[in-house]
Amino acid sequence: MGELIPGLPEEVARECLVRVGFDQLPVVRRISRQWKSEVESPEYHRLRRAEGLARPVLALVQARPAAAAGDAGPAADKQHSSAAAASGGPANSYRMVLLDPVEGRWAPLPAPPGPAGSLPLFCQVAAVGGAGQGRKRLVVVGGWDPETWAPVDAVLVYDFLTGAWRHGAPMPGPRRSFFACAAVGGAVYVAGGHDEEKNALRSALAYDPERDAWAALPDMAEERDEPRGLCVGGKFVVAGGYPTQAQGRFVGSAEAFDPAASAWAPVRDGLLEDGACPRTCCAAPGAAGRLYMLRDGHLVARDAAPGAAWRPVAQVPEDARTAATVSAIPGGRVVVIGSGCHGGDQAVYVLREEAGKGASWERAAAPPEFAGHVQASCCLEI
């Protein structure tokens, strides 16, 4: 093994590699066996965290704008512009995009495998790995075929070190749509939704990306179509949804699966009001258990204390209230991505809530090539 960077002391060379951007790690890994070994080592990632270089990043399942099919954009886009057209045009073509909302930095990931070159419509995404839980990966589960709109059981896994996608083991059981999904620990959990006959489901599953294997979980107590999946306090919380006979009439109740006990339990304090759609509900990272969601044009929050009520935080800017996605990131910040009208360009706002100082929005840069509708998101640290 030679020097990491010829002519530089080892500690200086390591400092250089530690500062590589998240979107360049796959390139660095391919330079040499020594660099590959370095960026895959636990010490490398410990140093990035210790020096404050690990960044909160949002993984977004985003519609590819029409311009992306014909401009001179990133190579990852140009490779599948014809596939996007064949699948019904950019309106049906989704890609995975990374956003550093603090720095306003965007990066598209390579096109997923498959002839359509698109992620499934209405798929779910979760991030696993890191901090002793294996390599950092994105797991995309389910959704609809972009050409036929038929539900799929597909699983796609993106590895941040290799910079490549692979197919995972298909999701077993009925082909479900609009289900709850969240990562807890090193696994991805799925529950509820509806089958191809529009029957709401109680069943639940867990996917282990290290073993590429699914495991059946006990059923929930209630059918839940269109619920929201959250990771709260190390448990998989399934909030809201509705049974088969109550199409579209959301309940406010929730159930929590404890992986350690392998059992479900009702969430005693109803998380939501009856009738509230849980789609924008998200959990702040860490053990605090704070929840956020949009309600009547406002961002509202609910703390983890027993009996805590939802409280208003800030009014959402008008150009981000429609078809919005809400994500909480470290540092007491919340990211809202939405538009002023259906089909409009997406605006990105970051809110920071500080004790004694109130809350304020800051608009993040969103270049035209990243202005497409966001249908799913998750937060991860790279």
Side-chain angles (χ1 to χ4, degrees):
M1 299 288 282
E3 297 174 318
L4 272 176
I5 300 177
L8 288 182
E10 195 79 356
E11 62 273 15
V12 176
R14 183 165 285 111
E15 286 288 330
C16 293
L17 289 182
V18 161
R19 283 163 170 73
V20 168
F22 65 81
D23 52 336
Q24 295 302 312
L25 283 176
V27 177
V28 169
R29 185 178 177 272
R30 291 193 291 266
I31 296 297
S32 69
R33 291 181 179 177
Q34 192 173 6
W35 283 22
K36 177 179 180 293
S37 176
E38 180 69 21
V39 300
E40 290 182 358
S41 69
E43 178 65 10
Y44 177 84
H45 298 284
R46 188 196 66 78
L47 285 173
R48 284 179 67 92
R49 285 192 296 272
E51 298 195 21
L53 298 172
R55 308 286 302 181
V57 174
L58 296 180
L60 309 175
V61 179
Q62 186 178 52
R64 186 175 296 104
D71 63 16
D77 285 336
K78 292 188 287 183
Q79 287 176 356
H80 59 78
S81 60
S82 59
S87 67
N92 289 343
S93 183
Y94 282 79
R95 61 179 177 173
M96 189 67 72
V97 169
L98 300 183
L99 165 63
D100 180 337
V102 177
E103 292 190 351
R105 184 178 178 185
W106 299 76
L109 294 188
S118 169
L119 294 171
L121 309 179
F122 309 118
C123 62
Q124 299 277 9
V125 60
V128 296
Q133 297 171 351
R135 287 161 66 151
K136 184 71 72 175
R137 296 179 173 96
L138 289 175
V139 180
V140 175
V141 184
W144 293 0
D145 185 286
E147 296 180 359
T148 66
W149 287 28
V152 299
D153 57 6
V155 173
L156 295 168
V157 181
Y158 180 81
D159 187 314
F160 280 95
L161 282 179
T162 64
W165 292 93
R166 66 169 174 83
H167 287 286
M171 182 168 50
R175 295 195 173 188
R176 64 182 76 212
S177 300
F178 301 108
F179 49 86
C181 179
V184 180
V188 176
Y189 290 82
V190 165
H194 66 251
D195 63 18
E196 293 181 271
E197 302 299 323
K198 308 299 183 187
N199 297 308
L201 300 171
R202 299 168 53 221
S203 58
L205 303 162
Y207 175 70
D208 182 343
E210 290 288 335
R211 297 173 50 242
D212 189 27
W214 286 90
L217 304 179
D219 286 352
M220 296 184 291
E222 300 180 27
E223 296 176 344
R224 296 182 183 273
D225 194 3
E226 294 193 58
R228 181 68 168 166
L230 306 167
C231 174
V232 180
K235 298 179 180 179
F236 175 45
V237 174
V238 180
Y242 49 83
T244 303
Q245 302 305 318
Q247 288 293 314
R249 298 195 295 274
F250 288 93
V251 300
S253 64
E255 302 179 50
F257 181 79
D258 183 349
S262 191
W264 292 94
V267 177
R268 296 299 179 186
D269 297 321
L271 287 185
L272 308 170
E273 295 178 357
D274 286 341
C277 174
R279 189 181 65 83
T280 62
C281 190
C282 70
R290 176 174 295 178
L291 304 179
Y292 294 94
M293 68 181 300
L294 299 188
R295 180 187 294 170
D296 299 326
H298 288 75
L299 180 73
V300 295
R302 183 182 188 273
D303 294 320
W310 290 94
R311 58 177 176 83
V313 176
Q315 189 174 41
V316 177
E318 290 187 4
D319 58 347
R321 296 181 186 175
T322 302
T325 299
V326 182
S327 303
I329 62 176
R333 292 167 292 191
V334 182
V335 183
V336 173
I337 305 175
S339 62
C341 61
H342 288 287
D345 287 348
Q346 302 288 286
V348 180
Y349 287 91
V350 181
L351 177 138
R352 181 160 191 156
E353 186 182 11
E354 297 182 90
K357 297 183 180 180
S360 59
W361 294 103
E362 180 178 345
R363 183 159 183 168
E369 63 268 30
F370 299 106
H373 168 66
V374 174
Q375 69 173 20
S377 68
C378 70
C379 179
L380 64 152
E381 188 179 72
I382 303 180

